[in-house]
Amino acid sequence: MAREKWRSGLGFVLAAAGSAVGLGNLWGFAYRASQGGGAAFLLLYLLVVLVVCLPVLVAEMVLGRSTGSSALIAPEKAAGKNWSLMGWLFVIAPLGIGSYYAVLMGWTADTLLHSIFFGLPSDINEAEAFFGSISSGSSVLLGQLVSLFLTAVVVSAGVRGGIERLTKWCMPILFALLIILAIWAATLSGTWEGYRTFLLKWDSSQFFNPTNIRNAFTQAFFSLSLGIGIMISYASYLDRKNKLPKEAIGVASLDTAVGLLAGMITFPIVISFGLKEAVSESTVGALFISLPTGLGSLGFTGRIVAILFFSLAYIAAITSSISLLEVPVSSMMERLGWTRYKAVFVASSLLFLLGLPSALNLNILGKMDSVFGGVLLILGGFLLSIFLGWIVPSRFDQDLDGSNSNLRLRKYLKFMLRWVSPPVIAFGLIVSVIDLAKNWSS
Ligand code: TRP
């Protein structure tokens, strides 16, 4: 069977940006930025994106396009059987992330439906009670199931007919909503205080705070969908003529812009309605408790804003979850010769089962996120930088030669991939593992 291709280069960029822009930008960015890092968190995050992630992003794309293979097969196709373990990492990690991502999507859907049909909570206690009800019992399973089902429908329609078509429509809507909401948030009373407290407050000791460092690395990798083969799969459906470095810059800029804009929406709300404590208390606090509470005190306007915000979050989430499902699906199709339908059915059933523990226990969800959505991504990024920087470096040049992309940019990326990314990511990985172990044992 001939491999599918994206209809257009823009389609690929939007699909990749759709994968990148997700709950990580809205939920993850808000809660990580609110853990006290302030401007130091922001700066570290931006540095990690520019200095180490961008070259790795191009490396992932090169590996996908040059092998034309799914994430499971690409490493061994490029460098032999010894590297097949890396392929397995690229299948296991998206399954792990996808499992709890569907649970988060379910909460988002519940919050959206609740804002539409019943309105918002009137105080923080009511919001906590509401969150308690959506995050337990049958409603969490229903939300998870429906979200997986929608994801499965899109992925089974294929790369062009499903993924490309959905993201082409959703991404512009998402940007429009985001900009409208950011402008609205800029008119609140606590706007500047919100920006200052969470994004601009300067405390240089935070540069050396291990949790802050782990947060910056995790946020950068998670938000870019980097390190576990998403971009390998997506780029395997590409033509040689696409200028990958330029497209990678496009994806990274869109993703970072969305993270910042989302912060410019959530933080003014949090400060304007005096919800600072509630945000940093729990990982779910920022999005699912504080935001509805703050907006609840604004009456009708607040309800409209909540509906727009959670629609936006759901749209962002589904364009990401399809990428998480596509990786195991394309790998099963290629390795086992299954049809797309069969692979989608098996992979999404697996995601449902693997997600049950997270659905039933918040603590487990947090741990899954730290391991699959944190440490494994950073590990994957490290392996990729070694792989394309040192093991099969000629692939990088050969693949990019075909597309006559900017030579200076390529030289820069190659240099960073060989000399800068590996040690810096290794440092981030070690700090993250130690910090996580410390958190878990205390
Ligand atoms: N990047 C997405 C977000 O920000 C989530 C996501 C999709 C992801 N695919 C991924 C994260 C692959 C890590 C790896 O919500």
Side-chain angles (χ1 to χ4, degrees):
M1 200 168 30
R3 214 173 163 74
E4 271 192 273
K5 289 266 179 265
W6 298 103
R7 185 163 291 135
S8 71
L10 182 66
F12 163 72
V13 173
L14 288 180
S19 165
V21 171
L23 295 174
N25 303 60
L26 307 169
W27 169 69
F29 186 80
Y31 97 79
R32 292 197 181 99
S34 62
Q35 288 188 334
F41 164 77
L42 193 60
L43 205 65
L44 278 176
Y45 159 68
L46 293 176
L47 272 176
V48 175
V49 169
L50 272 179
V51 174
V52 301
C53 288
L54 199 60
V56 178
L57 186 59
V58 178
E60 260 206 66
M61 291 178 174
V62 162
L63 186 56
R65 178 166 71 176
S66 69
T67 56
S69 276
S70 64
L72 173 64
I73 316 279
E76 70 179 68
K77 212 170 183 178
K81 277 261 177 265
N82 285 342
W83 287 87
S84 57
L85 215 58
M86 187 159 118
W88 280 104
L89 171 71
F90 293 161
V91 175
I92 292 167
L95 285 172
I97 298 177
S99 74
Y100 71 86
Y101 206 80
V103 176
L104 294 171
M105 283 174 80
W107 297 351
T108 311
D110 279 345
T111 313
L112 173 62
L113 293 177
H114 199 272
S115 341
I116 295 176
F117 294 110
F118 304 104
L120 295 169
S122 52
D123 58 31
I124 195 107
N125 296 328
E126 202 181 304
E128 277 170 7
F130 168 67
F131 181 71
S133 73
I134 61 167
S135 60
S136 63
S138 56
S139 78
V140 66
L141 296 183
L142 193 66
Q144 178 201 15
L145 208 59
V146 169
S147 300
L148 277 174
F149 178 76
L150 292 176
T151 306
V153 168
V154 180
V155 175
S156 53
V159 174
R160 270 191 186 197
I163 300 177
E164 185 168 1
R165 191 168 335 148
L166 181 86
T167 45
K168 203 173 74 196
W169 285 102
C170 282
M171 295 310 284
I173 299 179
L174 189 139
F175 281 110
L177 284 177
L178 204 61
I179 289 170
I180 294 172
L181 289 174
I183 293 175
W184 171 80
T187 64
L188 292 173
S189 61
T191 303
W192 272 105
E193 189 58 28
Y195 298 163
R196 241 196 317 269
T197 314
F198 294 111
L199 300 172
L200 305 173
K201 191 185 61 192
W202 186 253
D203 173 359
S204 45
S205 70
Q206 285 294 334
F207 273 114
F208 309 100
N209 176 341
T211 303
N212 205 23
I213 296 175
R214 172 162 67 93
N215 275 340
F217 273 89
T218 306
Q219 183 60 26
F221 278 86
F222 188 89
S223 181
L224 285 171
S225 301
L226 194 60
I228 54 165
I230 303 276
M231 297 299 160
I232 298 180
S233 305
Y234 274 19
S236 74
Y237 305 115
L238 268 184
D239 271 333
R240 304 271 303 174
K241 60 180 192 299
N242 291 68
K243 296 191 164 82
L244 291 183
K246 213 174 103 206
E247 297 181 347
I249 291 178
V251 172
S253 324
L254 286 178
D255 181 63
T256 311
V258 173
L260 289 173
L261 275 172
M264 290 169 67
I265 298 172
T266 43
F267 297 134
I269 298 180
V270 167
I271 292 291
S272 298
F273 302 103
L275 300 161
K276 195 164 161 233
E277 303 309 312
V279 172
S280 42
E281 249 168 40
S282 72
T283 51
V284 294
L287 208 54
F288 296 101
I289 300 178
S290 305
L291 209 63
T293 311
L295 295 174
S297 60
L298 280 182
F300 186 70
T301 321
R303 192 159 161 188
I304 299 290
V305 172
I307 293 172
L308 294 180
F309 186 86
F310 285 99
S311 309
L312 168 122
Y314 203 78
I315 295 174
I318 192 153
T319 57
S320 298
S321 68
I322 53 180
S323 72
L324 289 163
L325 185 58
E326 176 62 22
V327 173
V329 163
S330 57
S331 299
M332 285 170 172
M333 285 167 64
E334 192 174 358
R335 170 63 37 108
L336 305 168
W338 288 358
T339 61
R340 184 165 271 275
Y341 290 115
K342 182 170 174 191
V344 167
F345 180 76
V346 172
S348 34
S349 310
L350 209 60
L351 284 178
F352 178 70
L353 294 177
L354 289 172
L356 286 177
S358 307
L360 303 173
N361 184 329
L362 271 180
N363 224 333
I364 296 183
L365 189 148
K367 294 214 153 72
M368 291 287 287
D369 183 40
S370 311
V371 174
F372 287 96
V375 173
L376 284 191
L377 298 180
I378 307 176
L379 173 67
F382 175 71
L383 292 175
L384 277 161
S385 63
I386 297 286
F387 194 73
L388 278 132
W390 294 96
I391 308 292
V392 287
S394 56
R395 219 162 247 278
F396 198 82
D397 302 312
Q398 275 163 11
D399 184 79
L400 295 181
D401 266 349
S403 63
N404 70 61
S405 46
N406 184 320
L407 204 62
R408 287 242 305 274
L409 182 59
R410 268 169 51 185
K411 284 224 167 89
Y412 164 80
L413 290 169
K414 180 85 184 270
F415 176 82
M416 299 305 273
L417 192 65
R418 279 169 79 88
W419 300 102
V420 179
S421 298
V424 177
I425 303 178
F427 165 77
L429 184 63
I430 293 168
V431 173
S432 300
V433 171
I434 295 176
D435 182 59
L436 198 60
K438 227 197 256 146
N439 277 355
W440 281 9
S441 61
S442 66

